Amino acid sequence: RLMVKISQTESLIDPLDFRFRDGRHEACRGDNTWKPVTFVGMCFLCPQDESVLNESDIQSMEFVHLVRDWEIDFPSIVLTYKPDDGKALYNRIKVMTNHFGG
């Protein structure tokens, strides 16, 4: 599972609770307020044993799965990062998701 490391805590942050806004990184707190944080990096949390892998630990960026291709459904949601509110990039993302996912 993809997670975010910040310098303010040893706990890992869910990427959906992390954002870049007004020139700074922010993390969502338990009370649904956002506070400024210092971004350290991305890491991966293994669900089986809760071990943490840093990007530098990854030897191959090849996707590996344990089931046959026909057993994998296309995800019903696609998450993307848009650096601005421009419509051109949004349209390109929409075209790509419709092309690959229908």
Side-chain angles (χ1 to χ4, degrees):
R1 179 173 177 204
L2 182 65
M3 300 296 279
V4 178
K5 281 186 180 182
I6 59 173
S7 63
Q8 284 78 358
T9 179
E10 291 293 317
S11 298
L12 299 174
I13 306 294
D14 188 294
L16 297 177
D17 291 331
F18 181 75
R19 69 182 182 189
F20 186 73
R21 185 175 186 162
D22 297 327
R24 64 181 183 196
H25 293 103
E26 296 178 331
C28 187
R29 299 166 35 150
D31 60 359
N32 290 331
T33 61
W34 293 85
K35 68 174 185 172
V37 295
T38 303
F39 174 72
V40 173
M42 304 301 281
C43 62
F44 301 91
L45 180 64
C46 298
Q48 290 85 2
D49 60 4
E50 304 256 333
S51 61
V52 176
L53 300 171
N54 295 310
E55 286 181 287
S56 59
D57 296 329
I58 307 299
Q59 295 178 0
S60 171
M61 293 299 229
E62 180 179 329
F63 178 71
V64 177
H65 56 83
L66 303 176
V67 296
R68 293 180 293 276
D69 289 342
W70 63 268
E71 295 180 284
I72 299 175
D73 289 328
F74 190 86
S76 59
I77 186 171
V78 176
L79 301 175
T80 62
Y81 168 75
K82 281 184 45 184
D84 58 41
D85 291 333
K87 189 165 176 136
L89 182 56
Y90 172 79
N91 288 341
R92 182 173 291 161
I93 293 167
K94 191 170 180 180
V95 166
M96 286 177 51
T97 57
N98 286 339
H99 175 73
F100 290 108

